[in-house]
Amino acid sequence: MTYDETIQYLFNSAPLFQHVGGAAYKEGLSTTHILDAHFNHPHNQYKTIHIAGTNGKGSCAHTIAAILQHTGLKVGLYTSPHLVDFRERIRINGEMMPQQYVIDFVEEERSFFEPLHPSFFELTTALAFKYFAEQHVDVAVIEVGLGGRLDCTNIISPILSIITNISFDHTQFLGNTLAQIASEKAGIIKHKVPVIIGECNAETRSVFEHKAHEVEAPILFAEDNKEVLSSEFSDLYGHKLLHYTTRSFGDIYGELTGECQIKNTNTILCALHSLSKIFSVTHEDITYAFEHVCEMTGLRGRWQILQERPTIICDTGHNTGGWQYLAHQLAQIATSGNKLHIVFGMASDKDIERVMSTLPHEACYYWTKASVKRATSEQTIANIATKYDLHGKTYSNVAEAYEAAVNNASTNDYIYVGGSSFIVADLLRYKQTALPLEENT
């Protein structure tokens, strides 16, 4: 098979949550353990860092990977979902896994795994862990796929666990209260392994404290240990960065400029105190990685400025927790005297009404849908918008909505594209290929 044929085989043979949602969710770790034993427990051959949380885990994972990479370590990075290329999920020092490796894995192992009927994520996790071992990484940063306790990444024995924050998402699997969701994510807390909690409230804090006490895990709440003393937007070398004044690490300039990154940065810096006991991390490693995390790791879609004049921004924020920051940042643009165009769509399993209730009124909207089965139709989005006095036109795909926004925008305007990772993925694929998008199967 070619690489494209192999990827289509994986998408079609193993249910992909990214495309079909809940139908792809497979509870329990039995298949994961069978795959892990078949490959001789590859994750035991290198150190791991495990990161869970409703939001921010991707940014934290990429930044920590970049910092360790700059120290000279060989660093694996496993994240999800991908935006354009499946191989974005599995990287070493920022480089995606070779296409041929994916082809060979499927051809050599399909006779074993096909009778197991693994989920896409179970198979992808086994692939990642095997690849990292064969490439002799020093450490791998592993992002949880969904939840924590029953996530198939939860077979690792990490040197550090991180839980970024808790808010409502995937409630059909994780529970309808913050405490229930926190309990699922606390499942990654391991016996005597330090854990960093990025954000919490009274309801979730007690859950984390109880679990940590139960397994004798040292626990640190980042909000109780303020590393970020102040933050402000700053221009450095012609680039807009977030300037942090920190308690232990001096001045840091961050390439990721979404408002949510301030709390992510505090979480990362707290984690570095623990990691610095194991790895030799210098101030230069930290500052360089924060300034160049996208280039070093391939991270995209986090308040990413695609171009200027007009300023075009995309962000993968897709739930209520992420939108409490995005809505504020967009409102600042909308009320600053610059015209704001918003290309917007969401997945059907999200709290669409709650997110849309936060959108700024001072914007021109382009309602659309992504090319996945989970996408909410553009007309449904438009109908909900009328409840909140939001006005715009409907477009059948992201490419058409984006082109309409570009055609209507003046050089001083802003165009924001988001509401879903899939909307951003469609945009990036369109800009990469300049071809219309067909619905994924």
Short mmCIF file of all heavy atoms in Angstrom, two decimals, residues 202-223:
data_model
loop_
_atom_site.label_atom_id
_atom_site.label_comp_id
_atom_site.label_asym_id
_atom_site.label_seq_id
_atom_site.Cartn_x
_atom_site.Cartn_y
_atom_site.Cartn_z
N ALA A 202 -12.49 24.43 44.26
CA ALA A 202 -12.74 23.65 45.46
C ALA A 202 -13.29 22.27 45.14
O ALA A 202 -12.97 21.27 45.81
CB ALA A 202 -13.71 24.42 46.37
N GLU A 203 -14.12 22.19 44.10
CA GLU A 203 -14.74 20.93 43.73
C GLU A 203 -13.74 19.92 43.20
O GLU A 203 -13.84 18.71 43.49
CB GLU A 203 -15.83 21.19 42.68
CG GLU A 203 -16.68 19.98 42.32
CD GLU A 203 -17.76 20.29 41.30
OE1 GLU A 203 -17.90 21.47 40.91
OE2 GLU A 203 -18.46 19.35 40.89
N THR A 204 -12.76 20.39 42.43
CA THR A 204 -11.80 19.45 41.83
C THR A 204 -10.55 19.27 42.69
O THR A 204 -9.92 18.21 42.64
CB THR A 204 -11.38 19.94 40.44
OG1 THR A 204 -10.78 21.25 40.53
CG2 THR A 204 -12.59 20.02 39.51
N ARG A 205 -10.21 20.27 43.47
CA ARG A 205 -8.99 20.17 44.29
C ARG A 205 -9.04 18.97 45.24
O ARG A 205 -8.06 18.22 45.37
CB ARG A 205 -8.77 21.46 45.08
CG ARG A 205 -7.45 21.47 45.86
CD ARG A 205 -7.24 22.78 46.59
NE ARG A 205 -5.97 22.78 47.29
CZ ARG A 205 -4.98 23.63 47.07
NH1 ARG A 205 -5.11 24.57 46.15
NH2 ARG A 205 -3.86 23.55 47.75
N SER A 206 -10.18 18.79 45.89
CA SER A 206 -10.29 17.70 46.85
C SER A 206 -10.15 16.34 46.16
O SER A 206 -9.62 15.39 46.75
CB SER A 206 -11.63 17.78 47.60
OG SER A 206 -12.72 17.69 46.70
N VAL A 207 -10.61 16.25 44.91
CA VAL A 207 -10.47 15.00 44.15
C VAL A 207 -9.00 14.69 43.93
O VAL A 207 -8.54 13.55 44.14
CB VAL A 207 -11.21 15.11 42.79
CG1 VAL A 207 -10.93 13.87 41.93
CG2 VAL A 207 -12.70 15.28 43.00
N PHE A 208 -8.24 15.69 43.51
CA PHE A 208 -6.82 15.49 43.24
C PHE A 208 -6.05 15.19 44.54
O PHE A 208 -5.17 14.33 44.56
CB PHE A 208 -6.23 16.73 42.56
CG PHE A 208 -6.80 16.99 41.19
CD1 PHE A 208 -7.20 18.28 40.83
CD2 PHE A 208 -6.96 15.98 40.27
CE1 PHE A 208 -7.72 18.54 39.57
CE2 PHE A 208 -7.49 16.22 39.01
CZ PHE A 208 -7.87 17.50 38.66
N GLU A 209 -6.39 15.90 45.60
CA GLU A 209 -5.71 15.67 46.88
C GLU A 209 -5.96 14.25 47.38
O GLU A 209 -5.05 13.59 47.88
CB GLU A 209 -6.19 16.70 47.92
CG GLU A 209 -5.68 18.10 47.66
CD GLU A 209 -6.26 19.14 48.60
OE1 GLU A 209 -7.40 18.94 49.08
OE2 GLU A 209 -5.57 20.15 48.86
N HIS A 210 -7.19 13.79 47.25
CA HIS A 210 -7.53 12.45 47.72
C HIS A 210 -6.78 11.38 46.93
O HIS A 210 -6.21 10.43 47.50
CB HIS A 210 -9.05 12.22 47.60
CG HIS A 210 -9.48 10.86 48.03
ND1 HIS A 210 -9.62 9.81 47.13
CD2 HIS A 210 -9.79 10.35 49.26
CE1 HIS A 210 -10.00 8.73 47.79
NE2 HIS A 210 -10.12 9.03 49.07
N LYS A 211 -6.75 11.53 45.60
CA LYS A 211 -6.05 10.55 44.77
C LYS A 211 -4.55 10.56 45.04
O LYS A 211 -3.92 9.49 45.15
CB LYS A 211 -6.33 10.83 43.29
CG LYS A 211 -5.63 9.88 42.32
CD LYS A 211 -6.11 8.45 42.47
CE LYS A 211 -5.48 7.54 41.42
NZ LYS A 211 -5.95 6.15 41.53
N ALA A 212 -3.97 11.74 45.16
CA ALA A 212 -2.53 11.83 45.42
C ALA A 212 -2.18 11.20 46.77
O ALA A 212 -1.17 10.50 46.90
CB ALA A 212 -2.09 13.29 45.38
N HIS A 213 -3.01 11.45 47.77
CA HIS A 213 -2.77 10.86 49.09
C HIS A 213 -2.88 9.34 49.02
O HIS A 213 -2.08 8.61 49.62
CB HIS A 213 -3.79 11.41 50.10
CG HIS A 213 -3.68 10.80 51.47
ND1 HIS A 213 -2.65 11.13 52.34
CD2 HIS A 213 -4.45 9.87 52.11
CE1 HIS A 213 -2.79 10.44 53.45
NE2 HIS A 213 -3.87 9.67 53.34
N GLU A 214 -3.86 8.86 48.25
CA GLU A 214 -4.10 7.42 48.12
C GLU A 214 -2.90 6.69 47.55
O GLU A 214 -2.59 5.55 47.96
CB GLU A 214 -5.33 7.22 47.23
CG GLU A 214 -5.77 5.80 47.02
CD GLU A 214 -6.95 5.75 46.06
OE1 GLU A 214 -8.07 6.09 46.48
OE2 GLU A 214 -6.75 5.38 44.89
N VAL A 215 -2.21 7.31 46.57
CA VAL A 215 -1.08 6.64 45.91
C VAL A 215 0.27 7.24 46.32
O VAL A 215 1.29 6.96 45.69
CB VAL A 215 -1.25 6.69 44.37
CG1 VAL A 215 -2.50 5.95 43.95
CG2 VAL A 215 -1.27 8.12 43.85
N GLU A 216 0.26 8.05 47.38
CA GLU A 216 1.49 8.65 47.92
C GLU A 216 2.26 9.45 46.88
O GLU A 216 3.49 9.39 46.80
CB GLU A 216 2.39 7.56 48.52
CG GLU A 216 1.74 6.73 49.61
CD GLU A 216 2.66 5.62 50.11
OE1 GLU A 216 3.68 5.94 50.75
OE2 GLU A 216 2.35 4.45 49.83
N ALA A 217 1.52 10.20 46.07
CA ALA A 217 2.15 11.01 45.02
C ALA A 217 2.34 12.44 45.51
O ALA A 217 1.37 13.07 45.95
CB ALA A 217 1.30 11.02 43.76
N PRO A 218 3.55 12.98 45.46
CA PRO A 218 3.75 14.40 45.80
C PRO A 218 2.93 15.27 44.85
O PRO A 218 3.01 15.09 43.63
CB PRO A 218 5.25 14.61 45.59
CG PRO A 218 5.85 13.24 45.61
CD PRO A 218 4.80 12.32 45.07
N ILE A 219 2.15 16.18 45.39
CA ILE A 219 1.27 17.00 44.55
C ILE A 219 1.58 18.47 44.74
O ILE A 219 1.83 18.93 45.86
CB ILE A 219 -0.23 16.70 44.85
CG1 ILE A 219 -1.14 17.43 43.86
CG2 ILE A 219 -0.58 17.05 46.30
CD1 ILE A 219 -2.60 16.95 43.93
N LEU A 220 1.61 19.20 43.63
CA LEU A 220 1.85 20.64 43.66
C LEU A 220 0.77 21.33 42.84
O LEU A 220 0.53 20.95 41.69
CB LEU A 220 3.24 20.98 43.11
CG LEU A 220 3.66 22.45 43.17
CD1 LEU A 220 5.15 22.57 43.46
CD2 LEU A 220 3.33 23.19 41.88
N PHE A 221 0.11 22.30 43.44
CA PHE A 221 -0.90 23.09 42.75
C PHE A 221 -0.24 24.37 42.23
O PHE A 221 0.23 25.19 43.01
CB PHE A 221 -2.06 23.42 43.69
CG PHE A 221 -2.87 22.22 44.08
CD1 PHE A 221 -2.57 21.50 45.24
CD2 PHE A 221 -3.92 21.78 43.28
CE1 PHE A 221 -3.30 20.38 45.60
CE2 PHE A 221 -4.66 20.66 43.64
CZ PHE A 221 -4.35 19.95 44.79
N ALA A 222 -0.20 24.49 40.90
CA ALA A 222 0.52 25.61 40.28
C ALA A 222 -0.03 26.96 40.71
O ALA A 222 0.71 27.93 40.83
CB ALA A 222 0.49 25.47 38.76
N GLU A 223 -1.34 27.03 40.95
CA GLU A 223 -1.94 28.30 41.35
C GLU A 223 -1.49 28.73 42.74
O GLU A 223 -1.57 29.91 43.09
CB GLU A 223 -3.46 28.20 41.29
CG GLU A 223 -3.99 28.09 39.87
CD GLU A 223 -5.49 27.88 39.82
OE1 GLU A 223 -6.02 27.05 40.58
OE2 GLU A 223 -6.15 28.57 39.01
#
